[in-house]
Structure formats: structure tokens, C-alpha cells
């Protein structure tokens, strides 16, 4: 059986060969591979960014928080990809390439799907006279993210073999930096250039009623980018010439799902799954609801998006800076240290939402207040990226390369699901925890769209919020987070002390 070396700073990597945990990988010869991984993750970030931009557009069109919760299901394919990951891992053309078999057609489909969306998206988003078609929008963007999640399965598996073993830790950096860049393009840049107010104020000499970019035009542009760049990867990138490992077994689908079940049965994985599925409950109200509440409080959506612009250098540098603290045998120490600060941010965010209506008037955000928001957001990003890079480094360290695609997909799926289900739940219960009353009818609590419409039709009444459910959720989440940390710290430290053999799966192709 493989075991951790008794030498203090030496552990075994996925290939079973010891190496110094404190040594940094030698990227010479892997520069092109790192660049390719970065670009593939960037493409993956585009639909993720768009999935954050659409709720901002919808919030200005009077949708309820329950409808926002419904649309939030578009992010769930990244939490459900485990269901089809074994198929991606086991069915492939050896001649074309194990990962390219899925990567190339998936990215072509994403490009074509974006071109299709560009032709109809304005109709489905509605206007002043028609309501947005939330059900159809959810189904369409769910499908787009389904394709992105499938691409993610292929890229995650390819990352383990595309890079040399001493550089495999850089895969998490490519993931975080690449997705951040794609998210910035799909969310921040799009929202800014789509805003007529922003473009008229900063980019135009002659005002116009529209921004420099429209959602149909943006989708069309990236649709062609996906098609063009995918063609280049298909022609010029060959898996066989860069894969240094030939220990990934060929499996049929039945064996692949059996292997997945074997991984799930590992005691270490069971404990880790519970941790990943519950760790983000304490942050859910802050992460999922705060941005929308800021828009409700009067901050224009483009200014909310532009808050991320000063963060871009920070978001790129942070994973690189944090990586040096996560290359050792205990990367999750960084994860644990970041949690209390991120929980505290939840209370700060709730206070800022309460304060905003008193400071922001008619969409005019004072400079001092805007700078303050950016500073607070910066602190949040430091804690968020510390946790993200740490957990990704931990995944890369414990994953068994003999079943790399399935193993990494399982871990990333659990991590995504642990963030998505609390976010959807938090959005769903905002309205339930909110207490309202119609100004002209005390018996009407304005809890449904029909009751709000009835209030408006009764002597021009208005629904007044007596207690916002967001504040109740924020407090509950922080309390849950503090309790979780007392339990989670012990469990995480125990997992980090386990030998590498505790994470390996014994198969006919791979014996410990």
C-alpha cells in the first residue's frame, strides 16, 4: 500500500513517486499547455458571466426573488455534471483524443447555441409591456451551462495529464484565473458596455439611448469566437504528444459508474462530501442576495458590475499569491483561516444594504461611498479566493490520476453543489421571510404577485416592506456558519492528516 513518507516535507504525488512538497514545479516545456488550459477555462467563464448578468437585467424588470431563485437553476449543471461525467470519461475516440472527443463538439455546440440565443433573446427578456419569460430563459441558459459543464469535465480531466506531474498544481491556478477572466468579460464588461448611461458618461461624445453593446450582439460575437478557436484547438492540439502518463484505464460506461460508486464509498470522500455540501451555507444570503438588494436600494446595475473592475488585478494576482501557501501538504489551513472573515463580511454587507437608500439618491452614488463599497468587496474577494484556491489545490493533491477525470469531476461537482443549493434556497426564502403590508388594505400582505397587483388597483395602494427577509437570512446564515466552523475545523484537519492511500481507489487497472 502507498503511504505518506515519514520524511517531514516529502509526500507522494498521484503517480506514486515522492517529491518535496515545498518545491515549485518547473514550468519549462509546459508554457503552451498552461496557456491552452487558461484559454479553455476563460471560454468556460463566458456563459458563467452571462448567467450573472441576466439576473441584473431581470431585477430592473420587476421580477420577484422567487423568480430569481428559479433562474438560479441555470448554474446547477456544474453541480449535476457528475451524472454524465463517467460517460465523458469512458466513451471516446482513441484516434481523436480522449478529451478532445468531447471538448471539440461541445464547444462547437456552445458557439451555435449562442448564435441561436442572439436571434431571440430580446423577445424572451420582455420589455415595458411584456413580462420576461422566466421559464424559457431558465431552460435555455440551463442548456448553455450544461454544455459548459460538459466542457469542464473534459478540461479538468485533460489538465491532469496535459501538465507534467510537478506542474499539476498550476491547473487550479489556470482554473481560477481563466474563469475569472471569462466571468469578467461575460458579466462586468458586458453590463458596462450594454449600459447607455455608462457609455454616454464615459465613452461617447454624443449621447445615445443604447449602449455600445447589446446582448444579441454580444452573444453573436462570442458564438463565432467559440467556433473559430475550437477549430484551431481541434487542428493544432494533439493529446498524444503532450500526455506523459498512460495509466488512465480504458473503461466502458458500466465500469465507469461502478468506479464512481467506488470513489463515493471511500470513507474519506464521504466526510469530504459532507464538508463541501454544507461549508457555504453561512455565506449564501450574502453571496446570492446582496447584489440584487443593492440594485433594489438604488445603485444602478452597471455601477454594481463596475465595482469588479478594480478587482481584476486583485483577482488575477490573488490565486498566484495564495498558491505559494497551498503547495504544501496542508492547503486547507488557508481555507479554514478565511472562513471567519468571510462570515463577518455577511454582516457588513447587510449593514451596507440598509445604509444605501440613505446615501444613494436617484442613482447618484457618492464617490466616498463607492470607494467604501470597493474596499469591502476587496476584502470579500481575498477571503473567497483564499478558500477557492486552497480547496482546488487540495483536490489536485488527493485525486487519483488513474481515474482523474471522474475523480476531479466528483470533487468539483460537490464543491459547486455546495454553493448552488444554498444560493437558490436563500433567494427562494427572501420573499417568505419578508413582511409587507398594503397601504390601503391592512389585510393584504402583498406576499404574491396577485396580491401586489390587487393592492395597486385598490385606491392606488402601495406595498410597504415592514421587515426585509434579507436581514433575517443574513443573521441566520452567520449563526449557522459559526456553528459549522466549530465542527468543520476538526473534520478538515483530520482529512489533511490522512495518507494518500486513503484517497485511492483499487481497480483491476490500478493497484495500491
Amino acid at each position: 500500500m502507498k503511504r505518506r513518507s515519514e520524511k517531514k516535507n516529502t509526500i507522494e504525488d498521484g503517480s506514486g513517486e515522492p517529491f518535496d512538497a515545498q518545491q515549485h514545479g518547473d514550468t519549462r516545456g509546459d508554457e503552451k499547455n498552461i496557456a491552452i488550459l487558461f484559454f479553455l477555462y476563460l471560454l468556460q467563464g463566458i456563459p458563467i458571466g452571462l448567467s450573472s448578468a441576466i439576473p441584473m437585467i431581470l431585477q430592473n424588470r420587476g421580477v420577484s426573488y422567487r423568480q430569481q431563485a428559479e433562474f438560479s437553476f441555470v448554474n446547477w449543471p456544474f453541480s449535476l455534471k457528475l451524472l454524465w461525467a463517467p460517460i465523458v470519461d469512458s466513451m471516446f475516440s482513441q484516434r481523436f483524443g480522449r478529451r478532445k472527443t468531447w471538448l471539440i463538439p461541445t464547444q462547437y455546440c456552445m458557439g451555435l447555441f449562442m448564435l441561436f440565443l442572439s436571434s431571440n433573446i430580446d423577445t424572451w427578456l420582455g420589455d415595458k409591456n411584456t413580462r420576461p419569460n422566466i421559464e424559457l430563459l431558465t431552460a435555455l441558459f440551463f442548456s448553455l451551462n450544461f454544455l459548459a459543464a460538459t466542457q469542464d469535465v473534459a478540461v479538468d480531466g485533460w489538465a491532469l495529464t496535459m501538465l507534467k506531474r510537478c506542474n499539476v498544481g498550476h491547473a487550479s491556478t489556470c482554473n481560477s484565473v481563466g474563469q475569472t477572466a471569462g466571468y469578467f468579460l461575460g458579466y462586468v464588461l458586458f453590463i458596462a458596455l450594454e449600459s447607455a448611461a455608462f457609455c454616454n458618461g464615459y465613452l461617447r461624445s454624443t449621447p445615445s439611448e443604447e449602449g455600445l453593446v447589446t446582448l444579441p450582439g454580444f452573444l453573436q460575437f462570442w458564438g463565432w469566437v467559440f467556433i473559430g478557436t475550437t477549430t484551431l484547438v481541434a487542428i493544432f492540439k494533439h493529446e498524444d504528444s503532450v500526455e506523459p502518463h498512460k495509466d488512465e484505464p480504458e473503461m466502458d460506461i458500466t465500469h465507469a459508474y461502478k468506479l464512481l460508486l467506488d470513489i463515493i464509498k471511500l470513507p474519506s470522500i464521504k466526510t469530504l462530501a459532507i464538508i463541501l455540501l454544507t461549508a457555504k451555507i453561512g455565506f449564501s444570503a450574502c453571496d446570492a442576495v446582496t447584489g440584487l438588494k443593492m440594485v433594489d436600494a438604488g445603485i444602478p446595475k452597471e455601477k454594481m458590475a463596475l465595482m469588479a473592475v478594480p478587482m481584476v488585478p486583485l483577482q488575477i494576482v490573488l490565486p498566484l499569491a495564495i498558491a505559494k501557501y497551498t503547495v504544501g501538504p496542508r492547503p486547507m489551513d488557508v481555507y479554514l483561516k478565511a472562513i471567519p472573515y468571510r462570515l463577518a463580511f455577511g454582516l457588513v454587507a447587510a449593514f451596507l444594504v440598509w445604509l444605501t437608500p440613505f446615501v444613494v439618491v436617484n442613482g447618484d452614488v457618492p464617490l466616498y461611498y463607492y470607494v467604501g463599497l470597493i474596499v469591502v468587496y476587496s476584502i470579500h474577494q481575498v477571503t473567497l479566493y483564499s478558500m477557492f484556491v486552497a480547496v482546488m489545490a487540495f483536490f489536485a493533491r488527493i485525486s487519483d490520476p488513474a481515474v482523474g477525470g471522474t475523480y476531479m469531476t466528483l470533487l468539483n461537482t460537490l464543491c459547486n453543489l455546495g454553493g448552488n443549493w444554498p444560493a437558490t434556497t436563500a433567494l427562494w426564502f427572501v420573499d417568505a421571510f419578508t413582511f409587507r403590508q398594503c397601504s390601503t388594505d391592512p389585510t393584504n400582505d402583498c406576499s404574491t404577485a396577485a396580491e401586489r397587483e390587487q393592492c395597486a388597483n385598490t385606491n392606488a395602494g402601495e406595498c410597504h416592506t415592514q421587515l426585509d427577509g434579507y436581514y433575517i437570512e443574513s443573521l441566520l446564515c452567520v449563526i449557522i456558519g459559526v456553528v459549522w466552523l466549530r465542527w468543520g475545523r476538526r473534520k478538515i484537519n483530520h482529512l489533511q492528516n490522512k495518507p494518500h492511500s486513503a484517497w485511492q481507489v483499487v481497480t483491476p487497472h490500478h493497484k495500491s
Side-chain angles (χ1 to χ4, degrees):
M1 297 288 290
K2 294 177 183 174
R3 60 183 178 85
R4 186 194 304 223
S5 171
E6 295 178 359
K7 191 174 180 179
K8 182 177 179 181
N9 290 324
T10 303
I11 63 173
E12 294 175 352
D13 68 6
S15 63
E17 297 178 357
F19 68 95
D20 189 340
Q22 302 303 323
Q23 283 184 342
H24 295 281
D26 183 0
T27 59
R28 287 177 297 183
D30 258 348
E31 296 91 346
K32 290 183 179 180
N33 294 331
I34 291 174
I36 290 172
L37 284 176
F38 166 80
F39 184 73
L40 292 176
Y41 281 118
L42 181 147
L43 291 180
Q44 189 182 119
I46 298 298
I48 297 175
L50 284 171
S51 296
S52 295
I54 298 300
M56 287 294 183
I57 296 175
L58 293 174
Q59 194 67 14
N60 284 336
R61 305 195 180 193
V63 301
S64 68
Y65 280 92
R66 288 202 173 184
Q67 288 177 308
Q68 291 282 14
E70 182 179 345
F71 185 80
S72 72
F73 278 103
V74 303
N75 298 311
W76 279 59
F78 283 89
S79 302
L80 301 174
K81 62 185 179 181
L82 187 63
L83 298 176
W84 65 90
I87 299 175
V88 177
D89 212 34
S90 60
M91 296 183 64
F92 57 92
S93 167
Q94 189 70 50
R95 180 178 179 181
F96 192 56
R98 181 169 191 166
R99 308 304 174 186
K100 286 174 64 178
T101 297
W102 290 92
L103 180 70
I104 302 306
T106 296
Q107 291 196 170
Y108 273 132
C109 287
M110 291 174 72
L112 294 173
F113 202 91
M114 286 184 172
L115 294 177
F116 168 71
L117 282 171
S118 69
S119 302
N120 302 280
I121 191 66
D122 280 342
T123 301
W124 297 325
L125 280 173
D127 52 33
K128 294 181 180 179
N129 300 319
T130 59
R131 294 182 178 181
N133 191 332
I134 299 297
E135 293 78 10
L136 183 58
L137 287 171
T138 301
L140 291 170
F141 278 90
F142 183 95
S143 300
L144 180 60
N145 279 344
F146 170 83
L147 294 171
T150 303
Q151 186 251 31
D152 186 45
V153 175
V155 176
D156 282 345
W158 201 0
L160 291 178
T161 52
M162 184 186 294
L163 301 177
K164 295 182 291 187
R165 283 304 297 171
C166 65
N167 291 327
V168 72
H170 290 291
S172 64
T173 303
C174 292
N175 187 319
S176 58
V177 177
Q179 278 194 3
T180 296
Y183 180 86
F184 173 81
L185 295 173
Y187 172 53
V188 179
L189 188 65
F190 164 69
I191 287 291
L193 297 182
E194 185 265 350
S195 167
F198 175 81
C199 293
N200 292 337
Y202 298 99
L203 303 177
R204 285 193 180 116
S205 57
T206 303
S208 173
E209 295 182 356
E210 292 187 350
L212 292 175
V213 171
T214 63
L215 183 54
F218 188 83
L219 287 166
Q220 186 178 58
F221 170 80
W222 281 105
W224 287 116
V225 169
F226 266 84
I227 291 173
T229 56
T230 301
T231 302
L232 295 177
V233 173
I235 295 173
F236 296 109
K237 183 60 180 174
H238 304 287
E239 289 189 57
D240 290 341
S241 63
V242 297
E243 291 189 6
H245 302 285
K246 304 300 180 184
D247 56 350
E248 291 189 270
E250 294 187 16
M251 299 177 290
D252 56 27
I253 297 178
T254 302
H255 187 194
Y257 278 99
K258 182 180 182 301
L259 176 60
L260 175 60
L261 185 60
D262 289 340
I263 297 173
I264 295 175
K265 287 180 179 178
L266 290 174
S268 299
I269 291 295
K270 291 179 180 178
T271 302
L272 181 59
I274 295 174
I275 290 171
L276 296 175
L277 291 174
T278 57
K280 296 179 183 177
I281 295 177
F283 321 130
S284 58
C286 175
D287 293 354
V289 187
T290 298
L292 299 177
K293 280 295 177 184
M294 285 291 192
V295 173
D296 280 347
I299 299 180
K301 68 180 188 303
E302 63 271 14
K303 291 189 177 181
M304 281 298 301
L306 286 172
M307 281 179 55
V309 173
M311 299 297 103
V312 173
L314 183 66
Q315 290 171 331
I316 293 175
V317 172
L318 271 177
L320 303 175
I322 297 169
K324 67 180 181 180
Y325 299 105
T326 61
V327 295
R330 298 183 61 84
M332 293 294 279
D333 287 353
V334 175
Y335 186 94
L336 291 170
K337 290 178 181 177
I339 291 178
Y341 298 99
R342 193 168 173 189
L343 288 173
F345 181 84
L347 296 177
V348 174
F351 171 74
L352 290 173
V353 169
W354 173 82
L355 182 64
T356 296
F358 300 102
V359 179
V360 178
V361 180
N362 296 325
D364 183 18
V365 185
L367 180 61
Y368 73 89
Y369 192 65
Y370 199 63
V371 172
L373 291 177
I374 291 174
V375 170
V376 174
Y377 186 46
S378 300
I379 298 172
H380 176 262
Q381 292 299 300
V382 172
T383 60
L384 187 151
Y385 273 85
S386 294
M387 294 181 66
F388 178 76
V389 175
V391 78
M392 288 297 113
F394 186 62
F395 290 170
R397 186 158 301 283
I398 66 176
S399 292
D400 188 342
V403 290
T406 301
Y407 210 115
M408 282 292 287
T409 299
L410 169 63
L411 297 177
N412 281 292
T413 297
L414 291 171
C415 191
N416 282 312
L417 183 59
N420 285 336
W421 80 261
T424 298
T425 303
L427 285 167
W428 185 267
F429 281 103
V430 169
D431 288 334
F433 288 156
T434 297
F435 295 91
R436 301 184 182 91
Q437 189 176 60
C438 180
S439 60
T440 58
D441 183 3
T443 63
N444 186 342
D445 62 2
C446 299
S447 59
T448 66
E451 289 178 332
R452 288 191 290 272
E453 185 175 347
Q454 180 182 355
C455 177
N457 293 333
T458 305
N459 298 324
E462 296 181 355
C463 289
H464 295 301
T465 299
Q466 297 174 310
L467 180 60
D468 195 326
Y470 167 70
Y471 301 114
I472 298 175
E473 281 194 354
S474 295
L475 181 59
L476 287 175
C477 285
V478 171
I479 294 172
I480 293 171
V482 171
V483 173
W484 183 93
L485 183 58
R486 291 175 60 88
W487 168 84
R489 179 179 284 113
R490 296 193 304 271
K491 294 296 183 181
I492 289 174
N493 285 330
H494 177 66
L495 289 180
Q496 289 192 114
N497 292 330
K498 285 183 173 292
H500 198 78
S501 57
W503 305 97
Q504 292 178 326
V505 181
V506 179
T507 72
H509 304 273
H510 178 237
K511 296 185 181 297
S512 296

